[in-house]
Amino acid sequence: MNRPVTNPRHGRLRSLLTISDLGPDIATGISEVMTLTDSFVEVSERTIPKVPALRGRTVVSLFFEDSTRTRLSFETAAKRLSADTMNFSVSTSSVKKGESLRDTIETIEAMGVDAIVVRHASAGVPRQIAQWATSAVINAGDGWHEHPTQALLDCYTIRQRFGEITGKRIAIVGDIRHSRVARSNIAAFTALGAEVTLVAPPTLLPPSLEGWPAKVSTNIDAVLPTVDVCYMLRMQRERMTEALIPTIREYSTRYGLNERRAELLPDHALIMHPGPMNRGVEIDAAVADLPNTVIVDQVRNGVAVRMAVLFLLLGSGTTWGGEADV
Amino acid sequence: MSKNSNNNAKNRKAIVSESAGWILTGGRVVDRTGERIADVAIAPDGTIAAVGVDLDLKALGLTKAPVLDVTGCVVSPGFVDIHTHLREPGREEAETIESGSRAAALGGYTAVVAMPNTEPTIDSVAVVRQVLDAGLAAGLCDVRSSGSITLGREGDALSPMAELAAAGVRIFTDDGCGVQDDRLMRRALEYASGLPESVVLAQHCEVEALSHGGHMHEGEWSSRLGIPGMPAEAEELMVFRDIALSRLTGMVVHFQHLSTAGAVALVRDAKASGLNVTAEATPHHFTLTHAEVASYDPVFKVNPPLRTAEDVAAVKAGLADGTIDAIATDHAPHTDDVKEAPFDHAPCGMLGLETALALGITELVEPGVLSMTEFIAKMSWNPAAIARIDGIHGRNIQADEPAHLVVFDPALEWAVDPSALASKSNNTPYAGRVVRGKVRHTFLCGVPTVLDGEAQR
């Protein structure tokens, strides 16, 4: 049942489901994406930001969970590479009429697609789809599991500011337990040699951290002066009803990045957030607009990183020669 | 003897009337008296005529009986599965009583107890009769019916336990979930203690407040995979409560599918303190761990969930020291289309009837966890006693006993192929696994339900 996860055109990556798919040497895999991203950042800055790299190829967005931002980012990336894009909208589709996941995939594949970009509320769905599909599968976020392109764009953003990630100290603050962003970022950051500290109340940590290459703290004030990057996660209001935190206000007081806490950070430290932000909950409005807050860069880099991933999976090689504009 | 048993006997007589008997020669005969090499003669009336060497077939009147050479094979009392989901009524697309009975016969079982989580629930005499009748009609296995402890398995009100017991029910359970309400469980035990029949309440131990929303064992793998977990303590708390309630009411409690080291330890201590409790474990809980879920394949989704390697070791230790009395399959068929859902949407359960024997031999007997006799005890006469059918099943292999027998080759190696199983469903977690031990013949009341590995109807 297990099919090789390689692209037949260059014998490398075929699907991107988790950060570890970039292995066996994850650091080298990520570096390759970063180098490709550099050239696509250049494309994005052109007057007409479009190249024919994936002309004739079709990328379908299959979003079972609403996420306008990630979907638009992928679709923009595909269009800048001249791929055709399709959007399989679950709210209007047969999925609502009870079609099984496998039947949905077979239907989409019968139309002739080259890549399926999947977002699903259930962990593991992209892996299940990759077992059934012949096209490339890109995980655009699966439940609490992984969101590999988010981690790649975060790596790229840090690298853009600092030149490298090796040796950097990164705090990830907030709801680690329910965060696919945290799981992918911990894998990517530590593979690149960064030192990661998770900062959260124990109820918002995974039940077991066995095998996780990260330190843990419940004292954000002690951690902030020591870090190069402070990565804030989105806090969801329903965590209160699950008895994971008493109130949003208490969470905000104990773990939110307010102006006083931002002062504790070293001058060079970056403030990051995967979006969408809850201003006033995990991050104060004023902090979100500080010069070291790179949230907008993250979004901008997201398009170029996703171009790199699409090119790596569907293109002719692992490097791009910079074809002429179309 | 209940009305149901009388019906069974009458029906069987009709089946066996044309038999000339059977002779099994050279087998390794195993029962609770031990093991010896002997021939077994089965009489046309479905009982064992004689056991020994150099049987005088003429004196036995069995000169026309066909002879099966079973040299190298084990001949033992037929297996008894006290935990089988036959899905009928309600989910006949996944399994029927007939297809499940066939799977049971091929697995060496001569009796199974159907779990009550059907649609409708087995909480009325009408549904009990439907299950028993369908079992008789299939004629492949002695199908017994459990009954639910609470109406609709909803945990609110008691089922008509006396009516169900009178219709033949001996095991009461809300399997699929545990009885959450402490007081209701106490009342159920007290009420059952006053029934004229000897019955047992069997618990699926899971405190739902603690397991709520979980889809696998909570721990290292659930954390890594981002799947909500069910902690071991959810099982252990209910085991602890029911041990306390057994002590309070003086009633037997049977613990279904123990899966955690803590639960095994609680039952071990309860037995040591003289309490009358029994326990079962499934093959999957002594062979598979939560690491399997890394594939996100819902074929590995089951409740109680696959747990840690330490838990697997504890279940084996519990089997070895007698804490766990029986091996039960928790055979739970599901169609491919419902199992090909996202992991957290897929239903729990895996097939078991056709692989239990081989897994027991490969994972317990060959490594020396259990002797062959100890293993068969947990497959046959121990579960027969728990199900209160030990007057008929799991009997010693001697003259005048009913010929419910299994003949299996303990050394035959085979690879599990989901599509080759007799079950209507394919959800075995062992696809491709090479195991040893396969049923050659199964006899129900002296009639072969399986001959040379082929189901006879």
Side-chain angles (χ1 to χ4, degrees), chain B residues 172-194:
Chain B
F172 288 91
T173 176
D174 275 5
D175 182 50
C177 38
V179 177
Q180 302 297 308
D181 186 307
D182 306 339
R183 192 181 64 139
L184 188 65
M185 189 60 199
R186 175 194 178 170
R187 296 292 181 238
L189 287 165
E190 285 174 342
Y191 187 77
S193 71

PDB file of all heavy atoms in Angstrom, chain B residues 172-194:
ATOM      1  N   PHE B 172     -24.431 -10.164  30.329  1.00  0.00           N
ATOM      2  CA  PHE B 172     -25.025  -8.840  30.144  1.00  0.00           C
ATOM      3  C   PHE B 172     -23.900  -7.822  30.008  1.00  0.00           C
ATOM      4  O   PHE B 172     -22.942  -7.838  30.791  1.00  0.00           O
ATOM      5  CB  PHE B 172     -25.911  -8.475  31.336  1.00  0.00           C
ATOM      6  CG  PHE B 172     -27.191  -9.258  31.363  1.00  0.00           C
ATOM      7  CD1 PHE B 172     -27.263 -10.470  32.048  1.00  0.00           C
ATOM      8  CD2 PHE B 172     -28.312  -8.809  30.684  1.00  0.00           C
ATOM      9  CE1 PHE B 172     -28.443 -11.207  32.052  1.00  0.00           C
ATOM     10  CE2 PHE B 172     -29.497  -9.545  30.684  1.00  0.00           C
ATOM     11  CZ  PHE B 172     -29.561 -10.740  31.372  1.00  0.00           C
ATOM     12  N   THR B 173     -24.004  -6.962  29.014  1.00  0.00           N
ATOM     13  CA  THR B 173     -22.959  -5.963  28.793  1.00  0.00           C
ATOM     14  C   THR B 173     -23.509  -4.820  27.949  1.00  0.00           C
ATOM     15  O   THR B 173     -24.393  -5.032  27.116  1.00  0.00           O
ATOM     16  CB  THR B 173     -21.740  -6.602  28.077  1.00  0.00           C
ATOM     17  OG1 THR B 173     -20.785  -5.566  27.791  1.00  0.00           O
ATOM     18  CG2 THR B 173     -22.134  -7.295  26.778  1.00  0.00           C
ATOM     19  N   ASP B 174     -22.969  -3.625  28.179  1.00  0.00           N
ATOM     20  CA  ASP B 174     -23.263  -2.490  27.292  1.00  0.00           C
ATOM     21  C   ASP B 174     -22.102  -2.283  26.323  1.00  0.00           C
ATOM     22  O   ASP B 174     -21.881  -1.178  25.829  1.00  0.00           O
ATOM     23  CB  ASP B 174     -23.512  -1.216  28.106  1.00  0.00           C
ATOM     24  CG  ASP B 174     -24.966  -1.114  28.582  1.00  0.00           C
ATOM     25  OD1 ASP B 174     -25.726  -2.075  28.357  1.00  0.00           O
ATOM     26  OD2 ASP B 174     -25.333  -0.076  29.178  1.00  0.00           O
ATOM     27  N   ASP B 175     -21.373  -3.367  26.050  1.00  0.00           N
ATOM     28  CA  ASP B 175     -20.121  -3.280  25.285  1.00  0.00           C
ATOM     29  C   ASP B 175     -20.182  -2.279  24.138  1.00  0.00           C
ATOM     30  O   ASP B 175     -21.157  -2.187  23.411  1.00  0.00           O
ATOM     31  CB  ASP B 175     -19.748  -4.648  24.707  1.00  0.00           C
ATOM     32  CG  ASP B 175     -18.428  -4.565  23.958  1.00  0.00           C
ATOM     33  OD1 ASP B 175     -17.472  -4.036  24.543  1.00  0.00           O
ATOM     34  OD2 ASP B 175     -18.367  -4.993  22.801  1.00  0.00           O
ATOM     35  N   GLY B 176     -19.056  -1.595  23.977  1.00  0.00           N
ATOM     36  CA  GLY B 176     -19.014  -0.428  23.089  1.00  0.00           C
ATOM     37  C   GLY B 176     -18.886   0.785  23.971  1.00  0.00           C
ATOM     38  O   GLY B 176     -18.169   1.725  23.678  1.00  0.00           O
ATOM     39  N   CYS B 177     -19.580   0.702  25.106  1.00  0.00           N
ATOM     40  CA  CYS B 177     -19.325   1.676  26.156  1.00  0.00           C
ATOM     41  C   CYS B 177     -19.535   0.980  27.507  1.00  0.00           C
ATOM     42  O   CYS B 177     -20.122  -0.098  27.580  1.00  0.00           O
ATOM     43  CB  CYS B 177     -20.188   2.923  26.033  1.00  0.00           C
ATOM     44  SG  CYS B 177     -21.857   2.655  25.497  1.00  0.00           S
ATOM     45  N   GLY B 178     -19.031   1.608  28.531  1.00  0.00           N
ATOM     46  CA  GLY B 178     -19.214   1.093  29.879  1.00  0.00           C
ATOM     47  C   GLY B 178     -20.415   1.760  30.523  1.00  0.00           C
ATOM     48  O   GLY B 178     -20.842   2.821  30.074  1.00  0.00           O
ATOM     49  N   VAL B 179     -20.968   1.127  31.553  1.00  0.00           N
ATOM     50  CA  VAL B 179     -22.052   1.774  32.305  1.00  0.00           C
ATOM     51  C   VAL B 179     -21.413   2.885  33.134  1.00  0.00           C
ATOM     52  O   VAL B 179     -20.620   2.628  34.037  1.00  0.00           O
ATOM     53  CB  VAL B 179     -22.774   0.755  33.207  1.00  0.00           C
ATOM     54  CG1 VAL B 179     -23.847   1.455  34.031  1.00  0.00           C
ATOM     55  CG2 VAL B 179     -23.376  -0.362  32.363  1.00  0.00           C
ATOM     56  N   GLN B 180     -21.724   4.126  32.788  1.00  0.00           N
ATOM     57  CA  GLN B 180     -21.040   5.266  33.418  1.00  0.00           C
ATOM     58  C   GLN B 180     -21.540   5.536  34.836  1.00  0.00           C
ATOM     59  O   GLN B 180     -20.775   5.916  35.707  1.00  0.00           O
ATOM     60  CB  GLN B 180     -21.232   6.534  32.560  1.00  0.00           C
ATOM     61  CG  GLN B 180     -20.720   6.407  31.139  1.00  0.00           C
ATOM     62  CD  GLN B 180     -19.218   6.179  31.069  1.00  0.00           C
ATOM     63  OE1 GLN B 180     -18.437   6.921  31.658  1.00  0.00           O
ATOM     64  NE2 GLN B 180     -18.809   5.127  30.372  1.00  0.00           N
ATOM     65  N   ASP B 181     -22.842   5.332  35.040  1.00  0.00           N
ATOM     66  CA  ASP B 181     -23.468   5.727  36.306  1.00  0.00           C
ATOM     67  C   ASP B 181     -23.150   4.680  37.386  1.00  0.00           C
ATOM     68  O   ASP B 181     -23.541   3.519  37.278  1.00  0.00           O
ATOM     69  CB  ASP B 181     -24.979   5.831  36.078  1.00  0.00           C
ATOM     70  CG  ASP B 181     -25.705   6.380  37.293  1.00  0.00           C
ATOM     71  OD1 ASP B 181     -25.532   5.836  38.402  1.00  0.00           O
ATOM     72  OD2 ASP B 181     -26.453   7.356  37.125  1.00  0.00           O
ATOM     73  N   ASP B 182     -22.467   5.109  38.431  1.00  0.00           N
ATOM     74  CA  ASP B 182     -22.034   4.185  39.494  1.00  0.00           C
ATOM     75  C   ASP B 182     -23.230   3.498  40.153  1.00  0.00           C
ATOM     76  O   ASP B 182     -23.216   2.307  40.434  1.00  0.00           O
ATOM     77  CB  ASP B 182     -21.258   4.937  40.577  1.00  0.00           C
ATOM     78  CG  ASP B 182     -20.090   5.727  40.009  1.00  0.00           C
ATOM     79  OD1 ASP B 182     -19.639   5.392  38.901  1.00  0.00           O
ATOM     80  OD2 ASP B 182     -19.638   6.680  40.666  1.00  0.00           O
ATOM     81  N   ARG B 183     -24.263   4.291  40.416  1.00  0.00           N
ATOM     82  CA  ARG B 183     -25.406   3.748  41.131  1.00  0.00           C
ATOM     83  C   ARG B 183     -26.153   2.732  40.269  1.00  0.00           C
ATOM     84  O   ARG B 183     -26.559   1.670  40.728  1.00  0.00           O
ATOM     85  CB  ARG B 183     -26.351   4.889  41.546  1.00  0.00           C
ATOM     86  CG  ARG B 183     -27.417   4.446  42.540  1.00  0.00           C
ATOM     87  CD  ARG B 183     -28.338   5.590  42.890  1.00  0.00           C
ATOM     88  NE  ARG B 183     -29.078   6.027  41.711  1.00  0.00           N
ATOM     89  CZ  ARG B 183     -30.367   6.353  41.724  1.00  0.00           C
ATOM     90  NH1 ARG B 183     -31.051   6.309  42.844  1.00  0.00           N
ATOM     91  NH2 ARG B 183     -30.964   6.742  40.626  1.00  0.00           N
ATOM     92  N   LEU B 184     -26.298   3.071  38.983  1.00  0.00           N
ATOM     93  CA  LEU B 184     -26.989   2.161  38.072  1.00  0.00           C
ATOM     94  C   LEU B 184     -26.230   0.838  37.956  1.00  0.00           C
ATOM     95  O   LEU B 184     -26.835  -0.243  37.945  1.00  0.00           O
ATOM     96  CB  LEU B 184     -27.142   2.820  36.699  1.00  0.00           C
ATOM     97  CG  LEU B 184     -28.005   2.078  35.687  1.00  0.00           C
ATOM     98  CD1 LEU B 184     -29.456   2.024  36.153  1.00  0.00           C
ATOM     99  CD2 LEU B 184     -27.934   2.749  34.318  1.00  0.00           C
ATOM    100  N   MET B 185     -24.914   0.907  37.922  1.00  0.00           N
ATOM    101  CA  MET B 185     -24.108  -0.318  37.819  1.00  0.00           C
ATOM    102  C   MET B 185     -24.274  -1.140  39.092  1.00  0.00           C
ATOM    103  O   MET B 185     -24.408  -2.369  39.042  1.00  0.00           O
ATOM    104  CB  MET B 185     -22.634   0.036  37.581  1.00  0.00           C
ATOM    105  CG  MET B 185     -21.775  -1.183  37.258  1.00  0.00           C
ATOM    106  SD  MET B 185     -22.316  -2.054  35.750  1.00  0.00           S
ATOM    107  CE  MET B 185     -21.527  -3.644  35.991  1.00  0.00           C
ATOM    108  N   ARG B 186     -24.303  -0.475  40.221  1.00  0.00           N
ATOM    109  CA  ARG B 186     -24.513  -1.199  41.484  1.00  0.00           C
ATOM    110  C   ARG B 186     -25.857  -1.910  41.456  1.00  0.00           C
ATOM    111  O   ARG B 186     -25.962  -3.080  41.817  1.00  0.00           O
ATOM    112  CB  ARG B 186     -24.446  -0.209  42.646  1.00  0.00           C
ATOM    113  CG  ARG B 186     -24.764  -0.877  43.954  1.00  0.00           C
ATOM    114  CD  ARG B 186     -25.043   0.109  45.067  1.00  0.00           C
ATOM    115  NE  ARG B 186     -25.394  -0.632  46.287  1.00  0.00           N
ATOM    116  CZ  ARG B 186     -25.511  -0.080  47.467  1.00  0.00           C
ATOM    117  NH1 ARG B 186     -25.306   1.221  47.616  1.00  0.00           N
ATOM    118  NH2 ARG B 186     -25.842  -0.806  48.514  1.00  0.00           N
ATOM    119  N   ARG B 187     -26.881  -1.183  41.022  1.00  0.00           N
ATOM    120  CA  ARG B 187     -28.226  -1.773  40.984  1.00  0.00           C
ATOM    121  C   ARG B 187     -28.277  -2.960  40.022  1.00  0.00           C
ATOM    122  O   ARG B 187     -28.913  -3.973  40.291  1.00  0.00           O
ATOM    123  CB  ARG B 187     -29.257  -0.730  40.560  1.00  0.00           C
ATOM    124  CG  ARG B 187     -29.425   0.419  41.520  1.00  0.00           C
ATOM    125  CD  ARG B 187     -30.054  -0.015  42.849  1.00  0.00           C
ATOM    126  NE  ARG B 187     -30.211   1.127  43.736  1.00  0.00           N
ATOM    127  CZ  ARG B 187     -29.680   1.226  44.956  1.00  0.00           C
ATOM    128  NH1 ARG B 187     -28.943   0.239  45.446  1.00  0.00           N
ATOM    129  NH2 ARG B 187     -29.885   2.307  45.675  1.00  0.00           N
ATOM    130  N   ALA B 188     -27.631  -2.820  38.886  1.00  0.00           N
ATOM    131  CA  ALA B 188     -27.625  -3.900  37.888  1.00  0.00           C
ATOM    132  C   ALA B 188     -27.019  -5.164  38.494  1.00  0.00           C
ATOM    133  O   ALA B 188     -27.546  -6.273  38.321  1.00  0.00           O
ATOM    134  CB  ALA B 188     -26.850  -3.467  36.648  1.00  0.00           C
ATOM    135  N   LEU B 189     -25.907  -5.011  39.214  1.00  0.00           N
ATOM    136  CA  LEU B 189     -25.253  -6.160  39.840  1.00  0.00           C
ATOM    137  C   LEU B 189     -26.163  -6.782  40.900  1.00  0.00           C
ATOM    138  O   LEU B 189     -26.319  -8.000  40.972  1.00  0.00           O
ATOM    139  CB  LEU B 189     -23.917  -5.733  40.459  1.00  0.00           C
ATOM    140  CG  LEU B 189     -22.793  -5.441  39.453  1.00  0.00           C
ATOM    141  CD1 LEU B 189     -21.657  -4.680  40.123  1.00  0.00           C
ATOM    142  CD2 LEU B 189     -22.274  -6.742  38.836  1.00  0.00           C
ATOM    143  N   GLU B 190     -26.762  -5.927  41.718  1.00  0.00           N
ATOM    144  CA  GLU B 190     -27.640  -6.439  42.780  1.00  0.00           C
ATOM    145  C   GLU B 190     -28.838  -7.168  42.179  1.00  0.00           C
ATOM    146  O   GLU B 190     -29.192  -8.265  42.615  1.00  0.00           O
ATOM    147  CB  GLU B 190     -28.132  -5.268  43.657  1.00  0.00           C
ATOM    148  CG  GLU B 190     -27.070  -4.756  44.595  1.00  0.00           C
ATOM    149  CD  GLU B 190     -27.520  -3.508  45.362  1.00  0.00           C
ATOM    150  OE1 GLU B 190     -28.500  -2.849  44.943  1.00  0.00           O
ATOM    151  OE2 GLU B 190     -26.866  -3.194  46.363  1.00  0.00           O
ATOM    152  N   TYR B 191     -29.427  -6.569  41.149  1.00  0.00           N
ATOM    153  CA  TYR B 191     -30.622  -7.168  40.552  1.00  0.00           C
ATOM    154  C   TYR B 191     -30.278  -8.516  39.915  1.00  0.00           C
ATOM    155  O   TYR B 191     -30.986  -9.504  40.097  1.00  0.00           O
ATOM    156  CB  TYR B 191     -31.213  -6.213  39.504  1.00  0.00           C
ATOM    157  CG  TYR B 191     -32.541  -6.685  38.969  1.00  0.00           C
ATOM    158  CD1 TYR B 191     -33.704  -6.536  39.722  1.00  0.00           C
ATOM    159  CD2 TYR B 191     -32.632  -7.311  37.727  1.00  0.00           C
ATOM    160  CE1 TYR B 191     -34.922  -6.992  39.251  1.00  0.00           C
ATOM    161  CE2 TYR B 191     -33.848  -7.777  37.246  1.00  0.00           C
ATOM    162  CZ  TYR B 191     -34.995  -7.614  38.005  1.00  0.00           C
ATOM    163  OH  TYR B 191     -36.190  -8.068  37.543  1.00  0.00           O
ATOM    164  N   ALA B 192     -29.152  -8.547  39.208  1.00  0.00           N
ATOM    165  CA  ALA B 192     -28.744  -9.773  38.522  1.00  0.00           C
ATOM    166  C   ALA B 192     -28.477 -10.899  39.521  1.00  0.00           C
ATOM    167  O   ALA B 192     -28.678 -12.075  39.212  1.00  0.00           O
ATOM    168  CB  ALA B 192     -27.509  -9.509  37.669  1.00  0.00           C
ATOM    169  N   SER B 193     -28.042 -10.541  40.730  1.00  0.00           N
ATOM    170  CA  SER B 193     -27.719 -11.573  41.722  1.00  0.00           C
ATOM    171  C   SER B 193     -28.969 -12.337  42.164  1.00  0.00           C
ATOM    172  O   SER B 193     -28.863 -13.437  42.696  1.00  0.00           O
ATOM    173  CB  SER B 193     -27.011 -10.957  42.925  1.00  0.00           C
ATOM    174  OG  SER B 193     -27.921 -10.174  43.682  1.00  0.00           O
ATOM    175  N   GLY B 194     -30.131 -11.770  41.897  1.00  0.00           N
ATOM    176  CA  GLY B 194     -31.361 -12.440  42.305  1.00  0.00           C
ATOM    177  C   GLY B 194     -32.049 -13.232  41.213  1.00  0.00           C
ATOM    178  O   GLY B 194     -33.142 -13.768  41.418  1.00  0.00           O
TER     179      GLY B 194
END
